[in-house]
Amino acid sequence: ELKVEQNPLFLSMQEGKNYTIYCNYSTTSDRLYWYRQDPGKSLESLFVLLSNGAVKQEGRLMASLDTKARLSTLHITAAVHDLSATYFCAVGEDDKIIFGKGTRLHILP
Amino acid sequence: KAGVTQTPRYLIKTRGQQVTLSCSPISGHRSVSWYQQTPGQGLQFLFEYFSETQRNKGNFPGRFSGRQFSNSRSEMNVSTLELGDSALYLCASRYLAGGSEQYFGPGTRLTVT
C-alpha cells in the first residue's frame, strides 16, 4: 500500500527565511504533485513532476523529485506572508493519487 | 474555460439520511475523482470515474457510491449518513486518467447532525 509522508506537518517561520518541506513515499512512482490549500478553500495545483530529477520553479517556490530516493522537496525562498497556507504532496499509483497529510505553513511578518 | 463546479456548496443532513453531490468537470475532461477531506484523516481518495466506468475505489464502505454520465458529469451518493461523514467533499477532473494534472472544484461542505 502506498504511503506518503510529509514533514514537517506544522511550520512557523519568519518572513525572509528559506525552508524546505519534504515528501517521502513508499513505492515506485514517477508522478508527484504539489498542491496549495488556503483555509476554507479548495486545492490549487502548484507543480506536477513526472520524471526523476525534475525541477520546477514558480516565484519563491521550487519543487524537485528524486524517484530513486522516493523523495520530493518543496523549497521556499525568502518567504512572504502570502505563502501562508497548507501544502500537500500527492503521489500517483496506477490511476490513483494518494495525498500526504499536508504541511501547515505559517509565515510571521 | 470554466473550472470544475460542484453543487451544492454547503449541505446539512441528519444521521440516517442520504445525500447526493454533483460535480461538473472542465469541458473536455473525461476523468472525475472524488476525495473526502477531514481534519483527522486528511485527504482520502474515494473513487475515480473515466468514460462512465469506475476505474479505482478507495477504502470506503459501500454506503459511498458514485456514477458518471455520458457528458462526464459525476455524482456521488452517501446513504445512511453517519456523524463521521461530515467532511469537505472535493471532486477533481483531468483530461485522461494516469499522469495528467488534476483540477479541483471548490468542494461541498457536508455537515451531518
Side-chain angles (χ1 to χ4, degrees), chain B residues 3-84:
Chain B
V4 179
T5 58
Q6 291 186 245
T7 57
R9 295 291 311 280
Y10 303 92
L11 203 49
I12 300 174
K13 289 286 190 179
T14 305
R15 268 184 305 176
Q17 288 186 312
Q18 74 163 16
V19 67
T20 298
L21 311 181
S22 180
C23 172
S24 293
I26 291 171
S27 177
H29 285 192
R30 295 163 61 192
S31 166
V32 173
S33 296
W34 289 90
Y35 295 85
Q36 181 196 65
Q37 187 177 28
T38 59
Q41 298 298 317
L43 270 158
Q44 294 185 283
F45 172 77
L46 278 157
F47 26 65
E48 179 180 20
Y49 286 87
F50 181 79
S51 294
E52 301 179 67
T53 301
Q54 187 181 89
R55 291 179 62 89
N56 282 292
K57 188 171 171 21
N59 191 23
F60 278 81
R63 301 185 296 107
F64 291 80
S65 63
R67 58 178 176 168
Q68 187 180 33
F69 302 96
S70 58
N71 62 358
S72 294
R73 189 177 70 86
S74 178
E75 288 181 346
M76 69 163 278
N77 183 274
V78 188
S79 62
T80 319
L81 284 165
E82 300 176 0
L83 294 178

Side-chain angles (χ1 to χ4, degrees), chain A residues 7 40 42 67 89 98:
Chain A
N7 70 84
S42 187
T67 58
C89 71
I98 307 300

Side-chain angles (χ1 to χ4, degrees), chain A residues 14 41 75 96:
Chain A
Q14 295 281 343
K41 305 286 188 182
H75 187 72
K96 288 190 284 190

Side-chain angles (χ1 to χ4, degrees), chain A residues 31 33 35 37 40-48 50 88 93-101, chain B residues 35 37 40-41 43 45 48 55-57 88 90 94 97-102 104-107 109:
Chain A
R31 291 179 285 131
Y33 309 84
Y35 295 89
Q37 187 177 37
K41 305 286 188 182
S42 187
L43 275 74
E44 173 193 353
S45 177
L46 293 174
F47 301 109
V48 180
L50 297 177
F88 291 92
E93 179 185 52
D94 300 324
D95 292 332
K96 288 190 284 190
I97 296 180
I98 307 300
F99 281 79
K101 291 205 175 291
Chain B
Y35 295 85
Q37 187 177 28
Q41 298 298 317
L43 270 158
F45 172 77
E48 179 180 20
R55 291 179 62 89
N56 282 292
K57 188 171 171 21
L88 179 67
L90 293 162
R94 48 186 171 171
S100 54
E101 188 173 356
Q102 282 191 133
F104 281 82
R109 173 77 61 186

